[in-house]
Every structure is written in structure tokens, then in C-alpha cells.
Amino acid sequence: MHFVVDKYTQAMTTLDRWLPLIGRLLFAFIFLAAAPRHFTGEGISHAGSLGVPFANFFVPLSGILAIAGALLVIFGFHAKWGAWMLVLFLVPVTLGMHRFWKIADEGQRHIQLAMFMKNISMLGGALLLAHHGPGAFSLRD
């Protein structure tokens, strides 16, 4: 005999409760790990060499956006806003820094295509988070 439990009254399993937190941590880690480079001369000049306008201003600003968005996502405090900050970070960075279609060298083109697709994937994750919110174990908005 099977009992049907209404989905709204069914208790969440332990895994169901922990998965959003684990996902938020894994998703946000790359933004925190990469952000310090946005405040270095090397990172700023690299972006400038790729044609990023006003790199001295926009690259550190993008670092602030990445750090703030990632921390909001990690803690689940205004996580939807944090996710939108990461979208705002990812769109120009993806289109400005990973222009694989302009690279003649096949090896470099392949690397930039992979970086472009990685960012598109992260953009998808950020959009899902912006829509669904942080889930369990969060400092709710």
C-alpha cells in the first residue's frame, strides 16, 4: 500500500535541504577566486589589451560586482539580487573578454570558446538562482 503525500506537506529530505547551500557555494566560489585579479595592474592591462574601454575603471568595478554578488549568493541574503549582480558581471565580461570569433590561432580560439561557454553556463546558473532564490540554509531576503 502506498500513501500519497501532498507535495506541500511532505517533509524535505536532508539532501533536499543541503543541495541549495552546496550549489550556492560551488557556484559562487569561482567569482571569489577570480576577483582579486581585477584589482591588479596585470589584470587591468590584460583587459585593456583585449579592447575593454576604460579598463582602469571597469575592471576593478567588475571585481567589486563579482565579490558582492558572490557573497550575497553564498549567504543567501538577497541572493536574487546577488545573482542579478553576477548576471550584470557576466554579460559584458563574456562578450568583451572571450571573443573567440576574432581569434585566428586555433588553439587560442578553442581556449576562448571554452571560457565563453563556461561563462554562458554560469550565466544560466545565475538566472536560475535569480528566479528560484537561495533555498534552504540562507539568510532570507
Side-chain angles (χ1 to χ4, degrees), residues 83-138:
W84 281 114
M85 291 171 79
L86 295 175
V87 168
L88 186 60
F89 166 83
L90 282 165
V91 170
V93 167
T94 302
L95 296 174
M97 299 287 293
H98 305 297
R99 295 183 277 186
F100 64 91
W101 57 90
K102 290 190 168 195
I103 299 174
D105 178 80
E106 187 177 337
Q108 289 300 313
R109 186 174 56 248
H110 179 73
I111 289 169
Q112 289 307 315
L113 174 60
M115 297 294 283
F116 182 90
M117 296 309 293
K118 170 198 54 94
N119 282 18
I120 295 297
S121 176
M122 293 186 326
L123 183 58
L127 290 171
L128 282 169
L129 186 59
H131 177 74
H132 292 288
F137 297 115
S138 61

Side-chain angles (χ1 to χ4, degrees), residues 27-50:
F27 174 70
F29 178 74
I30 193 168
F31 297 101
L32 292 180
R37 186 169 183 260
H38 293 239
F39 304 100
T40 67
E42 189 273 329
I44 293 168
S45 64
H46 178 248
S49 73
L50 293 173

